Amino acid sequence: MDLQHPLLGQSVLIAGASGGLGTALAVELARRGATLTLAARNNDRLAAVPVDAQRVTLDLRLPDACADAVEAAIAHAGRLDVVINAVGVVAFGNVADLSIDSMEELFLTNTFVPIMLASVAIGRIEPRGAIVNVSGVIAEQNLPGMAAYGASKAAVRSFDEAFSREARRTKVRVIDARPGHTETGLANHPIEGVSPKMPEGMPPAHVATVICDALEAGVNELPSSAFT
């Protein structure tokens, strides 16, 4: 295979690295020889990610934090090749019952953070680099009881569609990843509401492998069908 983006020796920044998917991505990227910078809010959980990496405890919702994360990755590795955004929160409940605070948090974390991080990273990533945003299968088909959450993720997919065209000018790929329900533990910790009964999801390690394979193979999009 002609690998357009081999991960060996590449500098990768993972946002949301202490979550279920972020941790799986860190483990898979470390296995492939990437140089890692991990960013997350919770210092203890970040420290527990079982890889050799530079770790920065940041709240990426704050104005300067995305720039700080990017600069930390460059300071650690001398360059930046890949940014993967695995930050996310979820809320459950009908729109009529969902608080405005939860709606704001959904869009601040799930939508604004990817946009803010991309806006900083695009001018710093090396040519032939990549930005990966995880929007999820709900960005393809929203569901009742998750309408606001799904809308925050669909906004990321829409952003990626247009941003990918802008990024081509700097020879950077933008990959919108839309895995189905994944057993990350996120559904067990909603910011509001109670998770409905769901079928067993995909292992995070599987999702991480598909994303890393796509980075190495030069793929530009990862619809839900790519994870089955």
Side-chain angles (χ1 to χ4, degrees), residues 145-204:
M146 301 176 69
Y149 169 71
S152 72
K153 289 295 195 173
V156 175
R157 181 185 178 186
S158 179
F159 168 75
D160 287 342
E161 181 180 14
F163 180 56
S164 64
R165 297 171 187 167
E166 297 178 10
R168 288 174 193 164
R169 301 168 190 165
T170 55
K171 299 182 180 178
V172 172
R173 276 185 298 142
V174 177
I175 302 174
D176 187 78
R178 301 191 293 278
H181 174 52
T182 306
E183 294 294 339
T184 63
L186 181 65
N188 298 327
H189 303 283
I191 59 173
E192 186 173 330
V194 177
S195 172
K197 185 175 178 59
M198 296 181 180
E200 184 176 357
M202 292 181 288

Side-chain angles (χ1 to χ4, degrees), residues 78-158:
R79 57 187 285 144
L80 180 60
D81 298 291
V82 177
V83 173
I84 303 179
N85 183 6
V87 172
V89 294
V90 68
F92 301 105
N94 293 333
V95 171
D97 302 322
L98 200 62
S99 70
I100 296 298
D101 285 347
S102 291
M103 292 181 191
E104 290 179 343
E105 177 60 21
L106 285 169
F107 278 86
L108 178 58
T109 302
N110 294 347
T111 309
F112 290 172
V113 168
I115 294 173
M116 291 188 295
L117 186 57
S119 71
V120 173
I122 190 62
R124 305 290 276 150
I125 292 180
E126 297 291 325
R128 302 184 71 81
I131 296 173
V132 181
N133 287 321
V134 182
S135 61
V137 66
I138 199 163
E140 297 179 352
Q141 183 176 13
N142 208 345
L143 298 171
M146 301 176 69
Y149 169 71
S152 72
K153 289 295 195 173
V156 175
R157 181 185 178 186
S158 179

